[in-house]
Amino acid sequence: MASELIHLGFIADGNRRWARARGLPTLEGHRRGFDRVDKIVDALMDTEVKYVSFFVFSTENWDRSPEEINYLMGLIGKKIDSLTKKAKKNNLRIVLMGRPEPVDPKLWQRLLKSEAETKDNTGLSVIFCFNYGGQWEIADAATSAIAAGETSLTPETFAKYLYHPEVPALDMVVRSSGEQRISGFQLWRSAYSEFWFLEKNFPDMDGDDALAAIEEFHGRQRRFGK
């Protein structure tokens, strides 16, 4: 049987499809999707899960329309403000993984401020993969390792240069909307992850789905190549 589920990740997919299926503007799907983050966090606060990651905006998403990008940036700003209040009240830690450019510097500073204000909290760590790409994280880690003078790397020493190296490997990754791709989500940390692909779109998910992911995880047998 599987060990404890320490780090659970969500590839939050299907926001636009959820909206189209209901005859709503696609932007409404993003708003609803961001609301689901709170439901999942609430459900996980008193479980074995210590880290929950959300893939909310990738380095490839800049190819979307300016209207959609501007709306998403506004949503992310509002969500981080509300989540910071929740974090301070409930001992949550906010963690940011991603690249600062070309994000608006003011928004990036708001995200860093939320991270700094909650860094000493000891409860559930809520990780936002924002302007994030798994290949970029590895490339940035390699650049940092070279700058540090590393000449011979092992997986263990290389991992010290990842974004937030204290964050452990992903035990399970959940992807919504029926798609069965990893899309660059935490490539290094997902090397031995369990994967669970759901048909429902992310705006239809709630806390019960997060708890179901824990149950699904404990029904798996992890071998790690053995």
Side-chain angles (χ1 to χ4, degrees):
M1 298 294 287
S3 55
E4 277 194 323
L5 200 174
I6 303 300
H7 187 182
L8 176 61
F10 289 90
I11 301 175
D13 196 20
N15 293 339
R16 294 186 293 182
R17 272 165 281 180
W18 179 90
R20 291 190 193 106
R22 289 159 178 77
L24 299 171
T26 56
L27 300 183
E28 177 63 17
H30 291 306
R31 187 196 65 78
R32 167 78 177 213
F34 271 85
D35 287 344
R36 299 296 92 185
V37 170
D38 281 304
K39 300 293 185 184
I40 292 170
V41 169
D42 288 344
L44 294 176
M45 280 197 284
D46 296 318
T47 68
E48 68 199 65
V49 177
K50 304 302 180 189
Y51 301 84
V52 58
S53 293
F54 295 95
F55 199 1
V56 296
F57 192 88
S58 78
T59 50
E60 289 72 40
N61 287 153
W62 294 102
D63 290 335
R64 296 184 178 183
S65 71
E67 179 189 20
E68 185 174 359
I69 289 173
N70 289 337
Y71 185 78
L72 282 166
M73 296 301 113
L75 275 180
I76 289 166
K78 291 177 182 177
K79 175 53 63 179
I80 202 65
D81 289 343
S82 65
L83 192 60
T84 301
K85 292 178 182 178
K86 179 193 285 282
K88 291 178 178 178
K89 180 180 179 181
N90 295 285
N91 192 33
L92 306 175
R93 177 181 171 229
I94 294 172
V95 177
L96 173 63
M97 285 190 185
R99 314 188 88 231
E101 295 178 353
V103 180
D104 183 329
K106 291 182 180 179
L107 174 57
W108 193 260
Q109 287 303 314
R110 283 168 70 184
L111 295 166
L112 291 178
K113 184 172 183 285
S114 296
E115 188 178 69
E117 289 178 351
T118 62
K119 66 181 178 63
D120 294 325
N121 290 352
T122 57
L124 179 68
S125 290
V126 182
I127 300 160
F128 280 97
C129 292
F130 170 60
N131 194 32
Y132 174 89
Q135 291 176 324
W136 269 115
E137 180 177 16
I138 292 170
D140 286 342
T143 300
S144 296
I146 292 168
E150 298 279 6
T151 57
S152 180
L153 290 166
T154 65
E156 290 73 25
T157 55
F158 183 83
K160 294 190 298 183
Y161 296 97
L162 295 172
Y163 305 151
H164 283 282
E166 78 282 0
V167 174
L170 280 155
D171 296 302
M172 172 168 269
V173 175
V174 178
R175 180 166 189 152
S176 53
S177 85
E179 301 292 344
Q180 297 186 22
R181 298 187 300 274
I182 191 170
S183 297
F185 179 57
Q186 296 198 45
L187 294 176
W188 186 273
R189 291 183 179 85
S190 64
Y192 284 96
S193 300
E194 298 295 320
F195 286 84
W196 195 30
F197 300 107
L198 301 181
E199 290 297 324
K200 64 171 58 177
N201 292 316
F202 194 70
D204 282 326
M205 294 183 67
D206 58 23
D208 288 340
D209 293 298
L211 298 179
I214 298 175
E215 184 176 352
E216 174 71 17
F217 176 80
H218 285 294
R220 306 283 183 94
Q221 185 175 17
R222 306 185 79 191
R223 296 185 177 86
F224 298 101
K226 297 177 182 178

